[in-house]
């Protein structure tokens, strides 16, 4: 067991969600590279998009990401791409997330190094986004992506949208790519014992940041028609500052005024251990507890 | 990152708690062995006893445990040993605990293999205890240890106390050793806002297994004099069956009848990730949640 291994997560989004053979080739570098582990990949036919989850040591991750990007450029042609999800490039977005023994600042530096090398090697324009963004208006991926692949040819020529790395023109078949460091997202849904979607919408509005709620929380109401209930669907964008239990308790309180109960919750996909340990520590009222008391954190530290 | 690494924890107790130089030599094999990690060692002068915590892959752990036992036999002489804690050998007890990708049955087999090799190599009598015990009366370490080092010369000759491995006479300087597989223990204390120790004692009695409480729970009342409060001090002997939140909630309920509140809790030492994730899942009402959704569990699986 090596001591103090730095680990990053990377969740590249590729604009191909229908041809499994192509996706298999794109993710092959993650399977082959020592020091990197492919955790998951999900293809979405309607979106025509695949989301890949890998973790690894920085240097090994860098090598495999660069290789995978090269394969995606070769195999995906955006000129013929259709799908429901907004997209601007063959490798649409490549977020890097600190997982173990690596700071956000190091992750930002890492993302810039990868972006620079990818831009140079493949002549691909790259925008730094989220925590790596050099300009405020580039923090938000949606703002960068506005206009999509079809609009990028012109958009990239505006001084405001000069790419951070690579040429000031789109890659003819691969478009442009966003890369950057971000906190892990936790997809967390809270279920309510009512059929009324308006109640879920109202509560979502109260707990989400944009309309006066918690700082690192996005939320919408969703109907679960087969179960005859609704849910507040949450995207927690920084659980280290906005803990899961806090939004959960707030939703319980807001639900009371509608005479509605919280009947359960769900975590979709992966969640960092610390996000749940924080909840246990809160509900048990743990005093002076540190993550260093978690056996697994010590084993792999 | 290798896939599916089996990991065991081992917490050997050595009957030397005063001479740091001796302990350093005894734990050196855990520092030197690749595939094994020394997490902690604590020396207790009054008890004249040291508790060492190591984790590792089975084969590597076996090699280092056997080596460490050999050094302890050379350096500890039980004929001159004094201390408050009951003890029967230089290497008093060696528990093995499944941590990752290894079953209790495998851990039992492993403990027997180590015991057999140690007994043969050092001519040391070994009793299998806890889950590895071949007889019911040997499950409990206190029953094996009764009579201590001084009484073992005679005890071991009784047919009922023939060792599971090794000679039917004590090692002249190292006595006898207990080895076996057990579940991880979680030391969990729940604090009450009262000075009355009788209340903590009464609640302890109600929640512990022996007097009608939860199956895998040991409990006593303790005064925290400097804080002017009392606590129910718990030893949770199988958190997979008796969850921490269950005893915590039960203590809250029992405390109510005395007009007393739970004001916090503490985890002493290390706790497996799953013990806390289970609590988070309970309080958040998580539906269909599995440990495979915890990022760290996937990274190291």
């Amino acid at each position: 067991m090596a001591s103090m291994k730095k680990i990053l997560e990377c969740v590249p989004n590729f604009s191909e969600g229908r041809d499994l053979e192509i996706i298999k080739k794109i993710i092959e570098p993650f399977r082959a590279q020592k020091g990197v582990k492919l955790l998951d990949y999900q293809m979405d036919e309607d979106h025509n998009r695949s989301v890949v989850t890998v973790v690894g040591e920085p240097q090994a991750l860098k090598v495999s990401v660069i290789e995978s990007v090269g394969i995606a450029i070769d195999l995906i042609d955006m000129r013929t791409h259709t799908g429901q999800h907004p997209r601007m490039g063959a490798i649409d977005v490549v977020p890097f997330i600190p997982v173990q023994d690596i700071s956000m600042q190091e992750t930002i530096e890492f993302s810039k190094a990868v972006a620079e090398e990818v831009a140079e090697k493949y002549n691909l324009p790259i925008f730094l986004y989220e925590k790596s963004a050099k300009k405020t208006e580039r923090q938000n991926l949606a703002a960068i992506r506005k206009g999509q692949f079809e609009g990028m040819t012109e958009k990239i020529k505006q001084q405001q949208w000069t790419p951070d790395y690579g040429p000031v023109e789109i890659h003819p078949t691969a478009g442009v790519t966003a890369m950057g460091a971000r906190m892990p997202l936790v997809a967390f849904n809270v279920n309510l014992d009512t059929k009324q979607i308006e109640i879920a919408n109202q509560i979502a509005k109260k707990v989400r940041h944009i309309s006066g709620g918690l700082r690192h929380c996005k939320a919408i109401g969703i109907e679960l028609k087969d179960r005859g209930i609704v849910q507040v669907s949450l995207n927690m964008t920084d659980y280290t500052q906005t803990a899961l239990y806090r939004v959960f308790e707030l939703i319980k309180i807001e639900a009371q005024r509608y005479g509605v109960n919280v009947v359960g919750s769900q975590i979709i996909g992966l969640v960092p251990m610390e996000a749940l340990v924080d909840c246990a520590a809160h509900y048990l009222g743990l005093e002076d507890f540190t993550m260093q008391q978690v056996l697994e954190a010590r084993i792999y530290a």
Side-chain angles (χ1 to χ4, degrees), chain A:
Chain A
M1 249 160 277
S3 66
M4 299 302 270
K5 202 187 276 179
K6 290 178 193 289
I7 295 185
L8 286 168
E9 186 184 3
C10 179
V11 190
N13 287 217
F14 298 100
S15 294
E16 171 58 61
R18 294 167 189 166
D19 189 333
L20 179 60
E21 290 311 307
I22 289 180
I23 288 301
K24 278 187 176 168
K25 285 174 187 159
I26 290 172
I27 64 178
E28 181 52 31
F30 302 125
R31 293 196 196 274
Q33 177 68 48
K34 199 170 172 297
V36 164
K37 190 168 179 179
L38 175 69
L39 293 189
D40 192 34
Y41 63 100
Q42 296 196 342
M43 301 174 67
D44 187 312
E45 287 202 15
D46 296 335
H47 291 175
N48 196 9
R49 181 181 186 83
S50 292
V51 178
V52 179
T53 307
V54 293
V55 289
E57 298 164 56
Q59 190 49 37
L61 187 64
K62 185 176 173 183
V63 168
S64 58
V65 165
I66 291 171
E67 201 179 326
S68 172
V69 165
I71 298 169
I73 290 175
D74 287 346
L75 300 182
I76 299 174
D77 187 343
M78 293 305 290
R79 293 171 302 183
T80 57
H81 182 275
T82 56
Q84 286 172 20
H85 198 288
R87 76 288 178 273
M88 59 184 181
I91 307 97
D92 203 53
V93 56
V94 184
F96 295 101
I97 302 128
V99 169
Q100 181 180 282
D101 197 39
I102 189 162
S103 69
M104 180 52 80
Q105 192 52 45
E106 285 176 275
T107 308
I108 291 169
E109 296 310 321
F110 176 85
S111 73
K112 289 178 179 173
V114 177
E116 186 170 12
E117 204 167 322
V118 162
E120 194 160 306
K121 184 164 187 176
Y122 303 117
N123 224 25
L124 180 72
I126 300 204
F127 293 97
L128 295 174
Y129 86 122
E130 279 277 348
K131 305 270 187 192
S132 302
K134 290 178 180 170
K135 301 176 179 184
T136 316
E137 65 267 30
R138 295 188 183 184
Q139 286 172 4
N140 186 348
L141 180 63
I144 300 174
R145 197 154 54 192
K146 200 174 173 192
Q148 296 199 46
F149 174 72
E150 291 73 13
M152 278 301 145
T153 308
E154 293 307 314
K155 182 175 179 175
I156 204 174
K157 290 176 184 156
Q158 298 169 30
Q159 204 186 326
Q160 190 193 350
W161 292 106
T162 301
D164 291 290
Y165 297 103
V168 189
E169 55 183 358
I170 69 161
H171 185 288
T173 57
V176 304
T177 293
M179 284 193 183
R182 67 162 170 80
M183 285 298 294
L185 297 179
V186 180
F188 181 48
N189 300 328
V190 179
N191 299 335
L192 306 173
D193 65 349
T194 175
K195 290 185 177 189
Q196 297 184 60
I197 184 66
E198 308 80 47
I199 295 178
N201 286 335
Q202 281 301 313
I203 294 175
K205 199 175 160 188
K206 284 163 182 165
V207 299
R208 70 187 170 216
H209 180 239
I210 200 168
S211 46
L214 295 164
R215 174 70 185 90
H216 300 286
C217 174
K218 297 176 180 178
I220 54 170
I222 284 189
E223 276 184 271
L224 303 185
K225 287 198 176 141
D226 52 334
R227 292 178 62 181
I229 61 172
V230 299
Q231 74 180 188
V232 183
S233 179
L234 304 151
N235 218 329
M236 304 303 289
T237 56
D238 186 351
Y239 69 85
T240 64
Q241 295 200 45
T242 304
L244 268 55
Y245 69 82
R246 202 168 306 136
V247 71
F248 181 75
E249 292 297 326
L250 211 49
I251 290 170
K252 281 209 266 185
I253 289 167
E254 295 291 345
Q256 281 170 13
R257 68 174 292 189
Y258 301 101
V260 161
N261 296 303
V262 166
V263 291
S265 70
Q266 299 167 308
I267 283 175
I268 308 299
L270 298 176
V271 57
M273 163 170 73
E274 194 176 12
L276 294 181
V277 169
D278 281 348
C279 292
H282 170 78
Y283 287 110
L284 298 177
L286 287 181
E287 298 172 1
D288 304 324
F289 186 77
T290 77
M291 285 300 288
Q292 281 303 299
Q293 290 182 256
V294 179
L295 181 64
E296 283 79 357
R298 289 286 288 279
I299 292 177
Y300 303 111

